[in-house]
């Protein structure tokens, strides 16, 4: 089943871009993108996909001289719904936005969150990327067939880790993979982590048999040899990486994840336009285009109301897939 829809790690500590706002054309004044005091929330731990996306976007906006003093901060918990609740509570705050993606859609459902993405102001979908199936370098599984053969013999004894709550991309991908391999999804021992950073430690420490996460999150570890890439969940192999797709390996799975930005509810038209204009200019910048290539992300730009319509469709799709898988 295809769930095709859609930011190099810049440090685990909170990043504050400290250059002072300059009221010149180069600082964003001439393009209408300057938002003094803008804060970008990451609703999971440092090192995960939302974190990399947010810090990359902030750095690129700074380097492109679109705006300054963007503060990126982490507020993890409950698959992103702690951050979501905080965002919705900041009604009318035009200087706050949140990095998010399919994982927050799923977490809001699986955690029965009183606040959903329908309560936010949609700004833009930015990227999409496939997930990757990875193991530690000392894992006994050398290829995807060896892993799935062992998985089929005893699904519960081979825990799979993911950086999202049930209903999120790192949960849905292995469930679809299990079904394609003839394993009942209900028998899968899925271990959720609050982002790819936490998951990485468990994969490297052999706390889980294998992990599933976004290609951009583990690109450096795969290239350095710390992680062994067994398969890619998307329709094509990941550029620069030696790993087959699940489909070419004989498993009918075609799955990609996406990420974007939302803001609090209750923004004025001018505040919303300011944020969407900044993101449009970021999307058009050479800095952002380079980051897409570096991180293996596909451009999936969708802005404003169109993104809102997409979010509503994704919510319905997650519910449908979970029902279809008996979860």
């Amino acid at each position: 089943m295809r769930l095709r829809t859609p930011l190099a790690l810049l440090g685990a500590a909170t990043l504050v871009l400290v250059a002072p706002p300059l009221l010149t054309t180069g600082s964003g004044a001439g393009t209408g993108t300057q938002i003094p005091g803008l804060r970008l929330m990451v609703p999971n731990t440092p090192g995960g996909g939302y974190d990399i996306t947010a810090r990359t976007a902030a750095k690129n906006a700074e380097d492109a001289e679109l705006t300054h003093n963007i503060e990126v901060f982490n507020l993890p918990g409950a698959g992103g719904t702690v951050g979501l609740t905080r965002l919705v509570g900041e009604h009318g705050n035009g200087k706050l936005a949140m990095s998010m993606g399919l994982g927050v859609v799923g977490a809001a459902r699986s955690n029965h969150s009183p606040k959903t993405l329908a309560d936010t102001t949609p700004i833009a979908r930015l990227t999409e990327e496939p997930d990757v199936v990875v193991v530690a370098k000392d894992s006994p599984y050398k290829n995807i067939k060896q892993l799935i053969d062992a998985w089929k013999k005893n699904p519960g004894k081979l825990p799979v880790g993911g950086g999202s709550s049930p209903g999120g991309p790192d949960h849905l991908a292995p469930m679809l993979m299990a079904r394609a391999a003839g394993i009942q999804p209900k028998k899968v021992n899925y271990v959720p982590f609050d982002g790819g950073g936490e998951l990485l430690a468990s994969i490297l420490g052999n706390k889980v048999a294998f992990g599933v996460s976004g290609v951009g999150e583990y690109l450096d570890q795969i290239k350095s040899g710390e992680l062994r890439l067994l398969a890619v969940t998307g329709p094509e192999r990941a550029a620069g990486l030696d790993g087959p797709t699940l489909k070419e390996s004989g498993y009918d799975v075609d799955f990609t994840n996406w990420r974007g930005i939302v803001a609090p509810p209750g923004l004025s038209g001018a505040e919303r336009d300011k944020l969407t204009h900044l993101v449009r200019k970021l999307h058009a910048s050479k800095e952002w285009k380079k980051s897409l290539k570096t991180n293996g992300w596909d451009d999936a730009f969708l802005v404003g109301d169109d993104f809102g319509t997409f979010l509503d469709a994704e919510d319905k799709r997650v519910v449908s897939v979970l029902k279809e898988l008996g979860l």
Side-chain angles (χ1 to χ4, degrees), residues 39 96 308:
R39 306 179 76 213
L96 179 65

Side-chain angles (χ1 to χ4, degrees), residues 93-112:
N93 185 352
K95 295 186 177 183
L96 179 65
M98 185 177 82
S99 173
M100 48 71 70
L102 179 57
V104 177
V105 178
R109 279 290 177 181
S110 62
N111 294 330
H112 306 289

